[in-house]
Amino acid sequence: MSGASLKLGCVHVHYCFQKCIFIAVSASGATKDSLPGAYPKTPEERAAAAKKYNLRVEDYEPYPDNGEGFGDYPKLQDRSQHERDPWYKWDHPDLRRNWGEPMHWNFDMYLRTRVDTSPSPVPWSTMWKQLFGFVGFMLFMFYMGEKFPSYQPIAPKQYPYNNLYLEKGGDPAKAPEEVKNYEI
Amino acid sequence: MHSTALFLPSCMMIIFLILLYPVLTTFNPNPLHPDWALTKTKTAIKLAFFTSLIPLFLLFDQGAEAIVTTWSWTNTMTFDISINFKFDSYSCIFTPVALYVTWSILEFASWYMHSDPQMNRFFKYLLIFLIAMIILVTANNMFQLFIGWEGVGIMSFLLIGWWYGRTDANTAALQAVLYNRIGDIGLILMMTWTATHLNSWDLQQMFILSNNYDLTLPLLGLILAATGKSAQFSLHPWLPSAMEGPTPVSALLHSSTMVVAGIFLLIRLNPMLENNKIALTTCLCLGALTTLFTAICALTQNDIKKIVAFSTSSQLGLMMVTIGLNQPQLAFLHICTHAFFKAMLFLCSGSIIHSLNDEQDIRKMGGMHHLTPFTSSCLTIGSLALTGTPFLAGFFSKDAIIEALNTSYLNAWALTLTLIATSFTAAYSLRIVFFVSMNHPRFNPLPPINENNPSVINPIKRLALGSIIAGFIITLNILPLNTPPMTMPTTLKLAALIVTILGLFTALELASLSSKQFKQTPNPNPHHFSNMLGFFPHIMHRLTPQANLTLGQAIATQTIDQAWLEKSGPKAIYSLSLRPITTTSNIQQGMIKTYLSLFFLTTLITLTILMF
């Protein structure tokens, strides 16, 4: 077993003198006990799972057992790291997290460079309605603007000499009609 | 050979070499001279600017343009890509403008960033950006343009995230890259369509062959590319977020050069665009929506850089409108004049921010006219140029655009929106000047606020000069492609001026109301809409990533397994067959003797019938 190392563990024995025991523990990876397990059915299993995840038994709430494969992983609040106090002295200040804290199932979504769930000053439904109302109104008005475009007043083009009667294929034998392109 | 034909391309190629040389000097392992930024980089840009004036004068005097093909990159039997430069009026005018603005910004940055430990690297990044930008504007084929396009995108990412210890800067840099990438989908779509249908990425061949095709799809791809790069509505939030970068970055990339790359692309490819009504209408409507929406957002911002960023976005919308009117030259003119006064606005903001100890909130500024008179005067000049004050730089482009708008056959709502946005421009420009320069200081007296450093004053002076005369000089010397409207009613002629003055007076009136209260409880809804940027970032930056990420993880880890193993595979067989099995076994009543005798009887009868 590579990476095996000796860890020194001191046990305080009941008769008030310390007895040191050598414990051999692998220094690579998580132990089998700390990995997530099956959905906890009995109160003892719940307590053990809560301890494993560093939660209080009252706070521990697993995901519902509906076949989605969550096991005993705790269901933490869906709040992102943006909402945590920026001035508190976290162990990892950039992640706003303390050592040993249970990680959210979607922790990589709740980073400070991803989704922000902080409360907005304006309720979500108001925001949604106003934005899509604005865009919908604009699209509708653009449609109306296409139907009723704006342009400067124009008239058909005027040519000299009977509006180019001969050039436009008029009959040379017939007398062309009088064309008046001006008004005095 | 005619000397003009030699001079023009030679000078432009020399510019590339002049700009590349400082970058190449950084490729040795020895640490750079501490003065490298000033001595090598700024000098190179200055030299390149003066070199670029020669092609400019040749263009103005003789109308000379050149296309230079140098090295063959790939040649198949049917498809050629070579290094191909087009030194036409657009690139020959844009290059000196960009170099002039960059020169001023670099000189300013030598003061702004002088306490930064990595100043040499900062200047190197700016230089690489500039080289990529010039590659973009001088490209004669789509491949080279794409190289420049991606180059400016990457340098934008690196420069926005310059202070990478700050999470907000990293988020902003990521935002810029992602939004630009969405736009790149459109550009690549257009490139593939062109490669397969027109069999070339050379602009000349594309233009000649494209007359026979329905170009709607590639043009919509192009418009998507411009939407991403030039921050049009729906792909715009990255531009105000990009203000996380240092002020020289905002001045160079996100006002003058990089963001106009999308518009420049549409200008370059205008021959393909001009016959397609759908594409032109899309440009027009998108530009009008952008210009109004971002002007609305600019009205209530409190960070001086954000106001200027939204102002940039609004002007980019105006350029898009001009493209929609089929006036690429006017759009290009606006690009050039806008570069001057927008860069100056950013430099003045940077100077004020640094003087006030990195304070960016305009509610905590005030009275700067007494403390930094030159800077605040140039701020005013820049704002006047922005609003299109007659005979400053912005007037020649902006007024011409609005005249063209008023006299064209176009969507009436687009016209209305653009005019409203023009009046909003005056309003938020006054807001900046009112809060920053006028009245009394709203901050504690700080150690010396002065304008004694020539590295700050000279760039701003140069850009102020440009803001005043550039529009005039360029308009005098270029020939229009389309006949401009020669006659129009007086109201239409003065329309731009009237709406601007209206906006100015409304803003002045509102400013005087800031010490009075008419209503007991204000109605915050319009203010919220404007201040929270139309709620667009809130909704889009939360909904889309959350939906994509949760859906992605759920599908990949749970749903697939659940679907294949439980709902349609082994467990499904189990659960489906459970009912019939239970029913069948419950029907069984254990009467074995009866079942056996029935079985034998049935077998005997069958055999008897078979035999007979």
Side-chain angles (χ1 to χ4, degrees):
Chain A
M1 198 160 39
S2 66
S5 67
L6 290 179
K7 268 200 184 160
L8 207 61
C10 285
V11 173
H12 185 90
V13 182
H14 180 69
Y15 299 107
C16 299
F17 65 90
Q18 286 194 329
K19 192 177 169 186
C20 287
I21 305 174
F22 279 98
I23 308 171
V25 162
S26 155
S28 56
T31 58
K32 200 142 174 281
D33 296 329
S34 62
L35 286 175
Y39 183 79
K41 296 198 176 61
T42 65
E44 292 84 29
E45 283 180 5
R46 284 183 80 98
K51 185 157 190 287
K52 180 170 66 174
Y53 292 115
N54 261 337
L55 284 169
R56 286 169 43 205
V57 183
E58 303 88 52
D59 293 335
Y60 173 72
E61 185 202 337
Y63 280 95
D65 188 23
N66 53 8
E68 281 177 356
F70 284 105
D72 62 356
Y73 204 86
K75 185 170 179 194
L76 301 165
Q77 266 205 323
D78 284 339
R79 305 256 74 119
S80 80
Q81 303 301 83
H82 292 88
E83 292 191 49
R84 300 210 176 182
D85 187 357
W87 298 107
Y88 176 76
K89 288 206 177 337
W90 301 98
D91 291 340
H92 303 291
D94 47 337
L95 299 173
R96 292 185 186 167
R97 182 178 173 267
N98 286 323
W99 189 88
E101 212 181 297
M103 298 186 87
H104 195 283
W105 183 263
N106 289 324
F107 80 94
D108 52 347
M109 183 168 75
Y110 290 132
L111 292 175
R112 283 170 66 198
T113 46
R114 300 277 185 276
V115 175
D116 181 358
T117 57
S118 13
S120 50
V122 178
W124 188 260
S125 58
T126 318
M127 287 204 292
W128 192 90
K129 275 183 232 162
Q130 286 198 13
L131 177 64
F132 286 102
F134 176 79
V135 174
F137 173 68
M138 285 292 157
L139 288 173
F140 172 70
M141 290 308 289
F142 277 127
Y143 170 70
M144 295 304 285
E146 278 298 304
K147 291 199 79 157
F148 303 108
S150 121
Y151 54 91
Q152 285 299 295
I154 46 176
K157 209 160 165 82
Q158 298 172 346
Y159 295 97
Y161 307 122
N162 321 314
N163 262 349
L164 295 181
Y165 177 78
L166 278 176
E167 283 82 352
K168 281 198 186 147
D171 192 355
K174 270 205 303 196
E177 53 202 37
E178 283 291 315
V179 172
K180 205 159 150 200
N181 281 336
Y182 56 87
E183 271 177 24
I184 299 177
Chain B
M1 203 174 158
H2 199 238
S3 57
T4 313
L6 278 176
F7 252 107
L8 204 152
S10 313
C11 286
M12 295 296 276
M13 300 299 273
I14 289 174
I15 290 173
F16 274 114
L17 292 172
I18 294 175
L19 292 176
L20 260 177
Y21 170 69
V23 180
L24 294 174
T25 57
T26 63
F27 287 165
N28 64 28
N30 302 326
L32 286 170
H33 198 259
D35 258 355
W36 175 86
L38 268 180
T39 52
K40 288 273 175 353
T41 322
K42 198 190 80 169
T43 317
I45 303 256
K46 201 159 138 185
L47 192 60
F49 166 66
F50 285 114
T51 316
S52 70
L53 285 180
I54 300 174
L56 183 71
F57 292 151
L58 281 172
L59 174 76
F60 280 169
D61 182 48
Q62 308 200 352
E65 299 181 353
I67 294 181
V68 174
T69 310
T70 56
W71 180 58
S72 254
W73 212 314
T74 80
N75 290 89
T76 62
M77 290 291 282
T78 48
F79 202 91
D80 286 352
I81 304 180
S82 40
I83 298 189
N84 208 351
F85 296 103
K86 185 172 188 184
F87 300 129
D88 66 340
S89 68
Y90 294 141
S91 45
C92 283
I93 298 179
F94 186 80
T95 311
V97 167
L99 286 169
Y100 186 79
V101 169
T102 312
W103 170 25
S104 306
I105 290 174
L106 284 187
E107 198 176 333
F108 177 82
S110 67
W111 170 74
Y112 196 82
M113 306 292 287
H114 85 278
S115 59
D116 195 304
Q118 306 267 20
M119 188 162 102
N120 286 336
R121 184 188 288 184
F122 184 74
F123 275 65
K124 184 170 80 165
Y125 283 2
L126 285 179
L127 196 55
I128 297 175
F129 162 79
L130 187 66
I131 296 172
M133 189 69 205
I134 297 186
I135 292 177
L136 200 160
V137 302
T138 53
N140 196 28
N141 62 23
M142 292 304 298
F143 190 64
Q144 209 168 313
L145 196 142
F146 191 61
I147 292 176
W149 185 273
E150 294 294 285
V152 299
I154 290 295
M155 296 325 292
S156 169
F157 168 77
L158 290 172
L159 284 165
I160 296 174
W162 177 254
W163 290 312
Y164 53 80
R166 196 178 142 81
T167 313
D168 285 337
N170 289 332
T171 313
L174 206 62
Q175 225 180 341
V177 162
L178 288 173
Y179 274 116
N180 276 340
R181 241 323 167 233
I182 300 177
D184 289 353
I185 295 175
L187 187 62
I188 295 179
L189 171 68
M190 180 261 182
M191 283 166 74
T192 45
W193 189 95
T194 319
T196 49
H197 285 83
L198 305 178
N199 199 36
S200 172
W201 275 341
D202 276 330
L203 293 184
Q204 281 73 34
Q205 188 169 335
M206 277 161 55
F207 295 156
I208 293 173
L209 291 178
S210 60
N211 291 330
N212 306 325
Y213 292 89
D214 177 20
L215 292 166
T216 314
L217 182 63
L219 291 176
L220 288 178
L222 269 184
I223 294 173
L224 179 64
T227 311
K229 192 64 104 183
S230 296
Q232 301 298 306
F233 181 75
S234 74
L235 295 179
H236 66 280
W238 69 270
L239 188 54
S241 301
M243 299 298 116
E244 289 287 333
T247 307
V249 168
S250 309
L252 183 57
L253 274 76
H254 305 121
S255 63
S256 318
T257 35
M258 184 192 129
V259 290
V260 299
I263 307 286
F264 195 86
L265 178 74
L266 291 178
I267 293 176
R268 260 280 188 260
L269 290 160
N270 188 61
M272 283 171 80
L273 208 58
E274 61 192 357
N275 292 323
N276 191 314
K277 189 137 190 312
I278 299 179
L280 287 176
T281 316
T282 315
C283 281
L284 184 71
C285 298
L286 184 63
L289 182 59
T290 306
T291 180
L292 182 69
F293 182 79
T294 48
I296 291 177
C297 294
L299 287 175
T300 53
Q301 295 300 308
N302 291 318
D303 180 349
I304 189 174
K305 284 178 73 173
K306 286 245 173 11
I307 303 181
V308 187
F310 277 112
S311 166
T312 306
S313 209
S314 188
Q315 297 303 305
L316 290 168
L318 187 67
M319 293 174 207
M320 191 65 132
V321 164
T322 322
I323 304 238
L325 288 175
N326 204 8
Q327 304 276 1
Q329 268 199 325
L330 283 181
F332 179 72
L333 182 64
H334 199 54
I335 287 180
C336 295
T337 52
H338 175 259
F340 287 103
F341 51 77
K342 200 43 73 71
M344 184 167 74
L345 282 175
F346 267 114
L347 291 196
C348 293
S349 322
S351 166
I352 292 173
I353 290 171
H354 236 40
S355 308
L356 295 179
N357 214 16
D358 292 337
E359 178 57 64
Q360 291 188 230
D361 194 329
I362 54 175
R363 298 171 291 189
K364 293 194 199 163
M365 300 178 187
M368 293 307 285
H369 196 63
H370 304 286
L371 300 163
T372 55
F374 181 78
T375 311
S376 90
S377 311
C378 287
L379 193 71
T380 314
I381 293 177
S383 302
L384 284 174
L386 172 63
T387 56
T389 309
F391 311 120
L392 293 182
F395 168 76
F396 290 95
S397 48
K398 213 166 170 192
D399 201 69
I401 294 173
I402 304 229
E403 270 176 31
L405 260 177
N406 282 330
T407 53
S408 298
Y409 181 94
L410 81 163
N411 192 319
W413 187 243
L415 172 67
T416 322
L417 290 185
T418 315
L419 289 174
I420 298 177
T422 313
S423 65
F424 283 177
T425 311
Y428 62 67
S429 299
L430 178 81
R431 190 180 144 86
I432 298 183
V433 170
F434 180 75
F435 275 92
V436 170
S437 319
M438 292 164 63
N439 296 326
H440 299 288
R442 287 180 294 275
F443 49 89
N444 294 325
L446 290 170
I449 299 175
N450 61 49
E451 298 183 308
N452 298 334
N453 197 332
S455 313
V456 179
I457 296 301
N458 288 339
I460 300 183
K461 212 185 280 186
R462 255 180 265 129
L463 288 176
L465 184 68
S467 304
I468 297 172
I469 63 174
F472 184 57
I473 293 181
I474 301 178
T475 324
L476 271 184
N477 287 302
I478 55 174
L479 289 170
L481 282 173
N482 310 326
T483 319
M486 290 298 181
T487 58
M488 61 187 89
T490 326
T491 335
L492 292 191
K493 183 80 181 166
L494 294 175
L497 205 57
I498 293 173
V499 295
T500 308
I501 293 180
L502 261 175
L504 190 69
F505 280 137
T506 317
L508 277 170
E509 183 66 29
L510 287 170
S512 74
L513 286 178
S514 55
S515 56
K516 306 180 185 67
Q517 184 181 1
F518 288 149
K519 280 198 213 171
Q520 257 193 333
T521 48
N523 175 16
N525 291 327
H527 178 264
H528 279 153
F529 184 81
S530 169
N531 200 19
M532 294 178 68
L533 315 183
F535 311 123
F536 187 96
H538 281 266
I539 295 179
M540 291 302 164
H541 294 170
R542 294 186 184 195
L543 256 186
T544 337
Q546 190 164 29
N548 281 335
L549 288 169
T550 32
L551 212 59
Q553 182 174 44
I555 291 177
T557 57
Q558 293 158 336
T559 319
I560 290 185
D561 284 343
Q562 208 175 12
W564 288 114
L565 295 175
E566 292 191 20
K567 306 288 183 207
S568 57
K571 259 193 139 179
I573 300 177
Y574 157 72
S575 47
L576 279 174
S577 46
L578 198 61
R579 281 304 301 278
I581 290 176
T582 39
T583 324
T584 322
S585 12
N586 288 342
I587 293 177
Q588 294 275 2
Q589 293 184 357
M591 301 186 289
I592 303 284
K593 282 187 197 148
T594 324
Y595 297 153
L596 262 176
S597 40
L598 268 175
F599 169 69
F600 280 124
L601 199 60
T602 324
T603 321
L604 269 171
I605 296 175
T606 317
L607 282 171
T608 324
I609 296 176
L610 274 176
M611 277 203 277
F612 298 105

